[in-house]
Amino acid sequence: NFALTDINNLLESRGAIRPESIKKEVQKVMWSYVGIVRSRKKLEIGLKKLSGLKKNLGKMRIKSVPDLINAIDARNVVLAAELVARASLIRKESRGAHYREDYPKQKSEWLKHIVFRKGNVGFKKTLKPKGLLAKELKRKIETKHHLLE
């Protein structure tokens, strides 16, 4: 089971880095480079810094159950931050709370969702037209609900 292997790997970690410190560093990176006003340059710097934090995930110190919980949380925070930064770099426009100073205008061709799916190696990116993602989710929910009846 992947989850148990993942937890065992965390428990076997003999590093010195506290999981909380990784989460705090992610907050700083996101605020400084992926925050309110975004640009290609800042997003690329942010992704490099997140990559360094990702490497530190294997160097965490886990001595207790709370440490394990914080380590799992740190791993998830780094992943979520990386995907937000990648999606922000891909979207070459400003829309809603996503503002790119290098692409300040909305573009109708960007009426789509950026979707990441976990693959064997990394994540696969797809672009879905607006509305299609909601239809797919609705269909999956209805199918699962039907199977439960």
Side-chain angles (χ1 to χ4, degrees):
N1 188 330
F2 176 75
L4 289 177
T5 303
D6 203 29
I7 289 171
N8 281 331
N9 289 341
L10 286 170
L11 288 171
E12 290 172 6
S13 174
R14 300 285 177 239
I17 299 172
R18 294 178 45 92
E20 297 89 347
S21 69
I22 291 176
K23 292 192 306 186
K24 286 181 182 171
E25 285 303 310
V26 170
Q27 288 175 333
K28 290 177 187 175
V29 168
M30 293 302 283
W31 180 255
S32 298
Y33 302 101
V34 192
I36 297 168
V37 178
R38 300 169 178 168
S39 70
R40 180 189 56 78
K41 184 177 180 180
K42 288 197 300 187
L43 290 166
E44 287 173 349
I45 293 169
L47 280 165
K48 283 181 185 172
K49 291 186 177 288
L50 289 170
S51 177
L53 292 171
K54 197 175 186 179
K55 289 175 185 168
N56 286 340
L57 291 173
K59 301 173 187 172
M60 290 188 285
R61 180 184 73 207
I62 301 177
K63 293 185 174 183
S64 65
V65 172
D67 283 347
L68 176 62
I69 292 167
N70 278 317
I72 293 168
D73 193 34
R75 186 195 59 207
N76 292 336
V77 166
V78 170
L79 174 61
E82 179 186 4
L83 294 176
V84 167
R86 287 193 185 285
S88 299
L89 192 57
I90 291 165
R91 185 172 290 279
K92 307 242 185 312
E93 68 154 1
S94 291
R95 180 171 300 275
H98 169 75
Y99 180 76
R100 290 274 305 257
E101 62 186 353
D102 46 352
Y103 294 99
K105 295 185 179 175
Q106 269 189 7
K107 296 180 180 177
S108 59
E109 65 264 23
W110 272 103
L111 274 172
K112 53 185 91 174
H113 301 283
I114 300 168
V115 179
F116 291 99
R117 285 197 179 16
K118 188 169 176 142
N120 291 336
V121 179
F123 285 84
K124 180 183 176 195
K125 170 205 66 156
T126 55
L127 301 175
K128 301 268 185 175
K130 186 178 179 193
L132 183 63
L133 187 62
K135 288 177 189 173
E136 287 179 10
L137 289 172
K138 183 179 178 190
R139 187 172 54 247
K140 284 182 182 184
I141 290 168
E142 288 172 350
T143 301
K144 287 187 187 243
H145 176 68
H146 178 71
L147 292 173
L148 294 174
E149 291 178 344

